[in-house]
Amino acid sequence: MLQGWLQIALTLLIVVAITPFFGRYMARIFLEQRTLLDPILNPIERSLYALVGVKAKEDMTGWQYARAILYSNIVMGLLIFFIIMNQGWLPFNPTKIGAPTWDTILHTTISFITNTNQQHYSGETYMSYASQMWGLGYHMFVSAATGIAVGIAFIRGLTGRPLGNFYVDLIRSITRILLPICIVGGIALMAAGVPETLAGPAVFPTLENPNISQAIARGPVAHFEIIKQLGENGGGFFAINSAHPFENPNGFSNLIQIVAMLSIPTALIYTYGIFANNIKQAWLVYGMVGVIFIAFIIITAIGEYNGNPAVNALLGSTQPNLEGKEVRFGWAQSALFATSTTGTMCGAVNSLHDSFMPNGGFITLSNMFLQIIWGGQGTGTAYLFAYLILAVFATGLMVGRTPEFLGRKIEKREVVLASFLILLVHPISIMIPAGIALAFPEQLSGISNPGFHGFAQVIYEYASAAANNGSGFEGLGDSQPSPLAIATGTQPTVTALWWNLSTCFSLLAGRYIPIIGLLLLADSMSRKQHIPYTAGTLRTDTGLFTGVTAGVILILGALTFFPVLALGPVGEAFLIGKGIG
């Protein structure tokens, strides 16, 4: 037990240690200050700006920034759709895999351009190397860079600066943050045992019968794996994601992946502190989120360490819950990974979340409902400060002070935009499609479990899509059925079609509506006149206000989503406690 808690503590200490260095580095990049990579990257970036016709010093308004994101994402979506649709004749397809169904391609396209990477297919059997590298891998970089750009634009607006230029922010995010780290991280993963090859599957005779061969899938995995984690993409090269020994072979690779997925969203809070010239507030916000995060890890880990009471009664002793887990990671690293991947909106998994105790189901769902612990790539940081704006407004009303944030008044427009993003868009993206699926469980849902757990499966799927997370509770008929399943009628095609199309609604609404709202909110804040601090100003860089903000976050999340949690993990926990589950 002690070893497991020690592993969790050391991993978190590493993340905290690199935060100021990484946060300061990103601030220097987007404040256009000198960095070590300037001599190499400045000429490359100038060439890219000239190639796409971008004026590096030309700032955009909120609407212009949003339109640039939408236009570029449409073009990139068409590219990925074309590659996957035509993978049968494109090169780097050693196993001659044909194209998946049109609805699977559509869902995959939207999923990857929105940085969600929700997968309704098995990578090793439905995607060629070309699709994995050119289609999916490329979009892992671009979608992650889009999120960073939005986060930086929001921070600029919040601190009274122009929002900047999307194309410049996109290119700098890739060339100066994602690509250099991925080169180093990819080499480290190869050293840890992750394969990187264009050769086809390795074929070996089985031990039971030398006359029978077994094909072992492999491919260019290492470079795919590091951007999957660093960019908070989460889409696996193989079906079982980071539980696969070729994606995550040992404890060292597992450490790299956890640190990679946590590094950017944690460091962006420090980056905000430099932009705002208020490191104290950055650490207070960092500490607030960190305390909630650690509490969530503890709740999840305790559930997994104590195991299932029904199983323990049969064994006559308390044993950890190892169902759906890799023995090489155990209960501790599985709990840490699950909490981190749903907290950062990465979505990669090194164990099956469906097999976690209700504690884990409660926490993973709560992470995706709140979206700020630590939140999605860049957008999570923006969501976090949208919560701060609501907290400023609510606290100002309670104490009779003018609601101001960083010397700028919080008025009706800002409150409406923040409330719209947090209290309306996200719940609608989850509840409406989930309600339809639950109303027709046999025809549409393909739910494998009845009762509370089946309810949680459905909610999790849409929460994952709307939060741009991509992980799954599994147990749903959401994957493209095999020819054998169609022929035998064991998996009806209508459920896969339903999940592919309905989650597209959640993917699009959960990604682009909040991005537009955040950019408009940032644009509004950037245009406000700065007001000097006075005795009547509500200070936001105090421990008291930070505590109030934490209360606002948890109360808003509880009021919005607790009924759903009560019908899912909470109800399941009561059943298990009674010895029924």
Side-chain angles (χ1 to χ4, degrees):
M1 176 182 180
L2 181 61
Q3 182 184 18
W5 290 113
L6 183 61
Q7 290 173 349
I8 292 173
L10 289 176
T11 303
L12 296 181
L13 285 175
I14 292 172
V15 173
V16 173
I18 67 175
T19 290
F21 301 101
F22 196 12
R24 192 177 297 113
Y25 172 70
M26 287 194 289
R28 294 186 67 86
I29 290 172
F30 294 108
L31 287 171
E32 299 185 7
Q33 299 172 355
R34 182 172 177 80
T35 66
L36 291 175
L37 296 176
D38 282 357
I40 301 172
L41 294 178
N42 280 343
I44 297 174
E45 289 174 352
R46 283 195 295 268
S47 300
L48 291 173
Y49 299 152
L51 181 65
V52 296
V54 171
K55 296 180 180 179
K57 300 297 182 182
E58 187 175 45
D59 293 318
M60 294 179 171
T61 66
W63 275 115
Q64 288 173 334
Y65 208 103
R67 285 200 297 269
I69 291 173
L70 294 175
Y71 295 158
S72 62
N73 278 212
I74 289 171
V75 172
M76 290 184 289
L78 293 174
L79 173 63
I80 188 174
F81 192 94
F82 173 82
I83 291 173
I84 300 175
M85 179 65 76
N86 294 281
Q87 69 178 11
W89 60 266
L90 288 173
F92 302 111
N93 187 3
T95 52
K96 308 302 179 184
I97 300 173
T101 59
W102 70 269
D103 53 297
T104 300
I105 300 176
L106 177 65
H107 174 268
T108 303
T109 298
I110 294 174
S111 182
F112 275 77
I113 65 171
T114 57
N115 198 229
T116 309
N117 296 26
Q118 190 176 52
Q119 295 173 289
H120 290 171
Y121 64 88
S122 297
E124 64 266 46
T125 56
Y126 283 103
M127 293 292 165
S128 68
Y129 292 172
S131 292
Q132 299 264 45
M133 292 187 300
W134 301 341
L136 308 183
Y138 163 74
H139 284 83
M140 284 182 173
F141 279 94
V142 177
S143 63
T146 298
I148 295 174
V150 171
I152 292 298
F154 188 84
I155 291 173
R156 288 194 187 112
L158 212 59
T159 55
R161 296 175 172 83
L163 268 60
N165 187 295
F166 167 69
Y167 298 107
V168 173
D169 293 338
L170 180 77
I171 290 172
R172 292 174 75 85
S173 297
I174 294 174
T175 58
R176 295 172 182 266
I177 299 174
L178 299 176
L179 195 56
I181 297 175
C182 282
I183 291 173
V184 176
I187 293 172
L189 287 177
M190 282 191 285
V194 179
E196 180 74 15
T197 178
L198 292 175
V203 181
F204 295 98
T206 62
L207 294 176
E208 292 83 0
N209 188 343
N211 296 320
I212 300 177
S213 298
Q214 179 178 358
I216 300 175
R218 53 184 176 176
V221 184
H223 84 279
F224 192 93
E225 189 69 18
I226 187 61
I227 186 57
K228 179 190 90 174
Q229 301 298 132
L230 180 68
E232 292 181 32
N233 294 283
F237 195 94
F238 301 104
I240 59 173
N241 210 280
S242 290
H244 196 290
F246 284 178
E247 286 199 35
N248 192 5
N250 49 52
F252 176 61
S253 63
N254 196 63
L255 175 65
I256 292 174
Q257 294 188 27
I258 293 175
V259 172
M261 77 169 91
L262 288 169
S263 58
I264 292 179
T266 53
L268 273 173
I269 297 177
Y270 194 91
T271 301
Y272 155 80
I274 295 176
F275 269 81
N277 196 28
N278 195 337
I279 299 297
K280 177 185 176 183
Q281 185 181 43
W283 279 121
L284 284 170
V285 173
Y286 189 98
M288 175 194 71
V289 179
V291 167
I292 300 173
F293 180 59
I294 291 171
F296 280 10
I297 293 172
I298 292 172
I299 292 170
T300 304
I302 287 176
E304 299 313 300
Y305 178 76
N306 290 332
N308 191 320
V311 176
N312 291 338
L314 292 174
L315 297 175
S317 63
T318 300
Q319 295 293 329
N321 173 33
L322 295 180
E323 179 189 350
K325 295 179 178 62
E326 286 295 310
V327 177
R328 64 184 186 276
F329 303 134
W331 62 271
Q333 289 299 303
S334 297
L336 174 60
F337 203 105
T339 309
S340 301
T341 194
T342 51
T344 60
M345 302 308 139
C346 176
V349 295
N350 74 349
S351 56
L352 287 178
H353 294 184
D354 183 55
S355 297
F356 273 58
M357 298 302 294
N359 304 43
F362 184 95
I363 294 303
T364 52
L365 278 169
S366 297
N367 272 333
M368 294 186 292
F369 290 154
L370 294 176
Q371 298 192 88
I372 51 90
I373 308 167
W374 300 87
Q377 191 78 283
T379 55
T381 308
Y383 258 109
L384 176 60
F385 286 97
Y387 269 111
L388 257 72
I389 288 173
L390 288 180
V392 168
F393 182 75
T395 308
L397 291 179
M398 288 189 289
V399 301
R401 295 193 180 186
T402 303
E404 297 173 7
F405 189 70
L406 298 180
R408 291 166 180 81
K409 284 188 177 181
I410 305 299
E411 298 176 303
K412 177 182 176 181
R413 176 178 173 81
E414 291 75 45
V415 175
V416 168
L417 282 170
S419 302
F420 175 71
L421 293 173
I422 293 169
L423 301 177
L424 194 60
V425 174
H426 193 50
I428 286 176
S429 303
I430 299 170
M431 300 304 183
I432 290 180
I436 297 172
L438 290 166
F440 302 95
E442 294 182 1
Q443 296 87 343
L444 298 179
S445 303
I447 302 172
S448 62
N449 290 285
F452 297 118
H453 195 80
F455 180 86
Q457 286 178 329
V458 174
I459 295 297
Y460 194 105
E461 185 76 2
Y462 289 110
S464 174
N468 301 137
N469 179 268
S471 64
F473 239 32
E474 304 312 330
L476 301 173
D478 57 8
S479 61
Q480 178 178 323
S482 65
L484 178 61
I486 297 174
T488 58
T490 55
Q491 182 178 336
T493 58
V494 66
T495 58
L497 179 66
W498 163 254
W499 286 110
N500 281 333
L501 298 183
S502 63
T503 50
C504 283
F505 164 78
S506 300
L507 292 167
L508 293 170
R511 175 71 164 181
Y512 295 111
I513 296 177
I515 280 179
I516 294 171
L518 290 169
L519 290 171
L520 293 179
L521 177 57
D523 196 28
S524 177
M525 292 292 289
S526 71
R527 299 175 187 276
K528 289 183 177 292
Q529 187 72 27
H530 185 271
I531 303 171
Y533 286 113
T534 66
T537 300
L538 175 65
R539 300 287 301 190
T540 59
D541 55 354
T542 65
L544 178 60
F545 177 79
T546 305
V548 171
T549 303
V552 169
I553 290 171
L554 296 175
I555 289 171
L556 287 178
L559 289 176
T560 305
F561 290 107
F562 187 77
V564 174
L565 292 169
L567 292 172
V570 174
E572 186 179 6
F574 277 105
L575 284 182
I576 291 176
K578 290 182 178 181
I580 301 174

mmCIF file of all heavy atoms in Angstrom, residues 328-354:
data_model
loop_
_atom_site.group_PDB
_atom_site.id
_atom_site.type_symbol
_atom_site.label_atom_id
_atom_site.label_comp_id
_atom_site.label_asym_id
_atom_site.label_seq_id
_atom_site.Cartn_x
_atom_site.Cartn_y
_atom_site.Cartn_z
ATOM 1 N N ARG A 328 1.220 -4.816 -14.169
ATOM 2 C CA ARG A 328 2.455 -4.041 -14.094
ATOM 3 C C ARG A 328 2.223 -2.619 -13.579
ATOM 4 O O ARG A 328 3.174 -1.926 -13.204
ATOM 5 C CB ARG A 328 3.156 -4.015 -15.460
ATOM 6 C CG ARG A 328 2.403 -3.314 -16.577
ATOM 7 C CD ARG A 328 3.168 -3.462 -17.900
ATOM 8 N NE ARG A 328 2.572 -2.704 -18.981
ATOM 9 C CZ ARG A 328 1.574 -3.116 -19.736
ATOM 10 N NH1 ARG A 328 1.050 -4.326 -19.513
ATOM 11 N NH2 ARG A 328 1.092 -2.375 -20.713
ATOM 12 N N PHE A 329 0.979 -2.156 -13.569
ATOM 13 C CA PHE A 329 0.664 -0.825 -13.043
ATOM 14 C C PHE A 329 -0.048 -0.897 -11.696
ATOM 15 O O PHE A 329 0.143 -0.037 -10.839
ATOM 16 C CB PHE A 329 -0.194 -0.046 -14.037
ATOM 17 C CG PHE A 329 0.440 0.110 -15.389
ATOM 18 C CD1 PHE A 329 -0.279 -0.121 -16.547
ATOM 19 C CD2 PHE A 329 1.769 0.466 -15.502
ATOM 20 C CE1 PHE A 329 0.307 0.009 -17.792
ATOM 21 C CE2 PHE A 329 2.374 0.597 -16.745
ATOM 22 C CZ PHE A 329 1.641 0.365 -17.898
ATOM 23 N N GLY A 330 -0.902 -1.892 -11.502
ATOM 24 C CA GLY A 330 -1.555 -2.075 -10.216
ATOM 25 C C GLY A 330 -2.609 -1.021 -9.927
ATOM 26 O O GLY A 330 -2.964 -0.209 -10.772
ATOM 27 N N TRP A 331 -3.098 -1.035 -8.684
ATOM 28 C CA TRP A 331 -4.204 -0.153 -8.315
ATOM 29 C C TRP A 331 -3.793 1.315 -8.259
ATOM 30 O O TRP A 331 -4.562 2.198 -8.650
ATOM 31 C CB TRP A 331 -4.775 -0.572 -6.953
ATOM 32 C CG TRP A 331 -3.797 -0.461 -5.821
ATOM 33 C CD1 TRP A 331 -2.925 -1.424 -5.403
ATOM 34 C CD2 TRP A 331 -3.569 0.681 -4.987
ATOM 35 N NE1 TRP A 331 -2.163 -0.955 -4.344
ATOM 36 C CE2 TRP A 331 -2.547 0.329 -4.058
ATOM 37 C CE3 TRP A 331 -4.127 1.942 -4.914
ATOM 38 C CZ2 TRP A 331 -2.076 1.220 -3.096
ATOM 39 C CZ3 TRP A 331 -3.655 2.840 -3.949
ATOM 40 C CH2 TRP A 331 -2.648 2.466 -3.058
ATOM 41 N N ALA A 332 -2.573 1.595 -7.803
ATOM 42 C CA ALA A 332 -2.164 2.989 -7.584
ATOM 43 C C ALA A 332 -1.963 3.740 -8.891
ATOM 44 O O ALA A 332 -2.540 4.818 -9.109
ATOM 45 C CB ALA A 332 -0.884 3.019 -6.743
ATOM 46 N N GLN A 333 -1.142 3.173 -9.789
ATOM 47 C CA GLN A 333 -0.875 3.852 -11.049
ATOM 48 C C GLN A 333 -2.107 3.880 -11.955
ATOM 49 O O GLN A 333 -2.278 4.807 -12.757
ATOM 50 C CB GLN A 333 0.294 3.186 -11.771
ATOM 51 C CG GLN A 333 1.644 3.421 -11.121
ATOM 52 C CD GLN A 333 2.011 4.894 -11.079
ATOM 53 O OE1 GLN A 333 2.060 5.563 -12.108
ATOM 54 N NE2 GLN A 333 2.266 5.403 -9.889
ATOM 55 N N SER A 334 -2.968 2.892 -11.815
ATOM 56 C CA SER A 334 -4.215 2.899 -12.578
ATOM 57 C C SER A 334 -5.130 4.022 -12.091
ATOM 58 O O SER A 334 -5.748 4.738 -12.892
ATOM 59 C CB SER A 334 -4.934 1.550 -12.451
ATOM 60 O OG SER A 334 -4.156 0.505 -12.994
ATOM 61 N N ALA A 335 -5.232 4.195 -10.773
ATOM 62 C CA ALA A 335 -6.064 5.264 -10.214
ATOM 63 C C ALA A 335 -5.516 6.635 -10.574
ATOM 64 O O ALA A 335 -6.275 7.552 -10.938
ATOM 65 C CB ALA A 335 -6.159 5.111 -8.696
ATOM 66 N N LEU A 336 -4.199 6.806 -10.494
ATOM 67 C CA LEU A 336 -3.576 8.090 -10.852
ATOM 68 C C LEU A 336 -3.783 8.402 -12.325
ATOM 69 O O LEU A 336 -4.114 9.531 -12.695
ATOM 70 C CB LEU A 336 -2.088 8.047 -10.515
ATOM 71 C CG LEU A 336 -1.262 9.262 -10.950
ATOM 72 C CD1 LEU A 336 -1.774 10.532 -10.289
ATOM 73 C CD2 LEU A 336 0.214 9.052 -10.638
ATOM 74 N N PHE A 337 -3.581 7.409 -13.172
ATOM 75 C CA PHE A 337 -3.728 7.605 -14.611
ATOM 76 C C PHE A 337 -5.172 7.971 -14.949
ATOM 77 O O PHE A 337 -5.431 8.902 -15.731
ATOM 78 C CB PHE A 337 -3.325 6.323 -15.352
ATOM 79 C CG PHE A 337 -2.917 6.532 -16.784
ATOM 80 C CD1 PHE A 337 -1.587 6.471 -17.158
ATOM 81 C CD2 PHE A 337 -3.859 6.782 -17.773
ATOM 82 C CE1 PHE A 337 -1.210 6.647 -18.489
ATOM 83 C CE2 PHE A 337 -3.500 6.963 -19.095
ATOM 84 C CZ PHE A 337 -2.162 6.895 -19.461
ATOM 85 N N ALA A 338 -6.144 7.261 -14.366
ATOM 86 C CA ALA A 338 -7.553 7.516 -14.663
ATOM 87 C C ALA A 338 -7.969 8.916 -14.236
ATOM 88 O O ALA A 338 -8.674 9.628 -14.967
ATOM 89 C CB ALA A 338 -8.432 6.470 -13.973
ATOM 90 N N THR A 339 -7.538 9.342 -13.048
ATOM 91 C CA THR A 339 -7.881 10.676 -12.582
ATOM 92 C C THR A 339 -7.200 11.748 -13.417
ATOM 93 O O THR A 339 -7.790 12.793 -13.716
ATOM 94 C CB THR A 339 -7.480 10.844 -11.097
ATOM 95 O OG1 THR A 339 -8.001 9.747 -10.341
ATOM 96 C CG2 THR A 339 -8.025 12.133 -10.527
ATOM 97 N N SER A 340 -5.960 11.504 -13.819
ATOM 98 C CA SER A 340 -5.216 12.475 -14.624
ATOM 99 C C SER A 340 -5.777 12.587 -16.032
ATOM 100 O O SER A 340 -5.910 13.685 -16.572
ATOM 101 C CB SER A 340 -3.736 12.075 -14.693
ATOM 102 O OG SER A 340 -3.160 12.013 -13.409
ATOM 103 N N THR A 341 -6.121 11.460 -16.628
ATOM 104 C CA THR A 341 -6.547 11.486 -18.029
ATOM 105 C C THR A 341 -7.930 12.105 -18.195
ATOM 106 O O THR A 341 -8.223 12.713 -19.214
ATOM 107 C CB THR A 341 -6.502 10.070 -18.632
ATOM 108 O OG1 THR A 341 -6.593 10.147 -20.054
ATOM 109 C CG2 THR A 341 -7.647 9.194 -18.134
ATOM 110 N N THR A 342 -8.799 11.964 -17.191
ATOM 111 C CA THR A 342 -10.107 12.619 -17.268
ATOM 112 C C THR A 342 -10.040 14.038 -16.737
ATOM 113 O O THR A 342 -10.843 14.891 -17.118
ATOM 114 C CB THR A 342 -11.170 11.829 -16.487
ATOM 115 O OG1 THR A 342 -10.689 11.560 -15.154
ATOM 116 C CG2 THR A 342 -11.485 10.523 -17.183
ATOM 117 N N GLY A 343 -9.058 14.318 -15.862
ATOM 118 C CA GLY A 343 -8.888 15.680 -15.382
ATOM 119 C C GLY A 343 -8.281 16.583 -16.422
ATOM 120 O O GLY A 343 -8.626 17.761 -16.515
ATOM 121 N N THR A 344 -7.368 16.078 -17.222
ATOM 122 C CA THR A 344 -6.717 16.883 -18.254
ATOM 123 C C THR A 344 -7.420 16.791 -19.597
ATOM 124 O O THR A 344 -6.989 17.387 -20.568
ATOM 125 C CB THR A 344 -5.265 16.433 -18.445
ATOM 126 O OG1 THR A 344 -5.249 15.052 -18.836
ATOM 127 C CG2 THR A 344 -4.457 16.595 -17.170
ATOM 128 N N MET A 345 -8.466 16.016 -19.708
ATOM 129 C CA MET A 345 -9.188 15.784 -20.966
ATOM 130 C C MET A 345 -8.300 15.087 -22.002
ATOM 131 O O MET A 345 -8.474 15.271 -23.203
ATOM 132 C CB MET A 345 -9.746 17.087 -21.553
ATOM 133 C CG MET A 345 -10.682 17.814 -20.615
ATOM 134 S SD MET A 345 -11.996 16.748 -19.987
ATOM 135 C CE MET A 345 -12.066 17.258 -18.293
ATOM 136 N N CYS A 346 -7.347 14.299 -21.514
ATOM 137 C CA CYS A 346 -6.508 13.525 -22.434
ATOM 138 C C CYS A 346 -7.293 12.349 -22.995
ATOM 139 O O CYS A 346 -7.411 12.191 -24.201
ATOM 140 C CB CYS A 346 -5.250 13.052 -21.717
ATOM 141 S SG CYS A 346 -4.195 11.984 -22.710
ATOM 142 N N GLY A 347 -7.845 11.524 -22.122
ATOM 143 C CA GLY A 347 -8.673 10.411 -22.565
ATOM 144 C C GLY A 347 -7.946 9.108 -22.785
ATOM 145 O O GLY A 347 -8.576 8.083 -23.033
ATOM 146 N N ALA A 348 -6.602 9.120 -22.710
ATOM 147 C CA ALA A 348 -5.877 7.854 -22.790
ATOM 148 C C ALA A 348 -6.170 7.030 -21.540
ATOM 149 O O ALA A 348 -6.496 7.580 -20.484
ATOM 150 C CB ALA A 348 -4.375 8.110 -22.903
ATOM 151 N N VAL A 349 -6.058 5.713 -21.646
ATOM 152 C CA VAL A 349 -6.350 4.853 -20.500
ATOM 153 C C VAL A 349 -5.286 3.770 -20.395
ATOM 154 O O VAL A 349 -4.833 3.234 -21.394
ATOM 155 C CB VAL A 349 -7.749 4.193 -20.603
ATOM 156 C CG1 VAL A 349 -8.842 5.240 -20.546
ATOM 157 C CG2 VAL A 349 -7.884 3.363 -21.878
ATOM 158 N N ASN A 350 -4.867 3.471 -19.156
ATOM 159 C CA ASN A 350 -3.997 2.314 -18.950
ATOM 160 C C ASN A 350 -4.731 1.214 -18.197
ATOM 161 O O ASN A 350 -4.124 0.254 -17.738
ATOM 162 C CB ASN A 350 -2.696 2.708 -18.239
ATOM 163 C CG ASN A 350 -2.895 3.001 -16.757
ATOM 164 O OD1 ASN A 350 -4.020 3.106 -16.268
ATOM 165 N ND2 ASN A 350 -1.790 3.148 -16.041
ATOM 166 N N SER A 351 -6.045 1.372 -18.052
ATOM 167 C CA SER A 351 -6.912 0.366 -17.447
ATOM 168 C C SER A 351 -8.328 0.655 -17.913
ATOM 169 O O SER A 351 -8.601 1.732 -18.471
ATOM 170 C CB SER A 351 -6.832 0.428 -15.916
ATOM 171 O OG SER A 351 -7.158 1.725 -15.454
ATOM 172 N N LEU A 352 -9.249 -0.275 -17.701
ATOM 173 C CA LEU A 352 -10.630 -0.081 -18.135
ATOM 174 C C LEU A 352 -11.407 0.683 -17.058
ATOM 175 O O LEU A 352 -11.601 0.163 -15.956
ATOM 176 C CB LEU A 352 -11.293 -1.429 -18.415
ATOM 177 C CG LEU A 352 -10.847 -2.147 -19.689
ATOM 178 C CD1 LEU A 352 -11.556 -3.490 -19.808
ATOM 179 C CD2 LEU A 352 -11.121 -1.300 -20.924
ATOM 180 N N HIS A 353 -11.834 1.891 -17.379
ATOM 181 C CA HIS A 353 -12.601 2.681 -16.416
ATOM 182 C C HIS A 353 -13.926 2.008 -16.064
ATOM 183 O O HIS A 353 -14.462 2.205 -14.972
ATOM 184 C CB HIS A 353 -12.864 4.083 -16.978
ATOM 185 C CG HIS A 353 -11.618 4.898 -17.136
ATOM 186 N ND1 HIS A 353 -11.625 6.217 -17.545
ATOM 187 C CD2 HIS A 353 -10.307 4.586 -16.929
ATOM 188 C CE1 HIS A 353 -10.388 6.671 -17.581
ATOM 189 N NE2 HIS A 353 -9.566 5.693 -17.235
ATOM 190 N N ASP A 354 -14.430 1.211 -16.969
ATOM 191 C CA ASP A 354 -15.693 0.503 -16.743
ATOM 192 C C ASP A 354 -15.585 -0.464 -15.558
ATOM 193 O O ASP A 354 -16.580 -0.774 -14.921
ATOM 194 C CB ASP A 354 -16.062 -0.258 -18.020
ATOM 195 C CG ASP A 354 -17.395 -0.967 -17.904
ATOM 196 O OD1 ASP A 354 -18.389 -0.301 -17.589
ATOM 197 O OD2 ASP A 354 -17.440 -2.193 -18.123
#
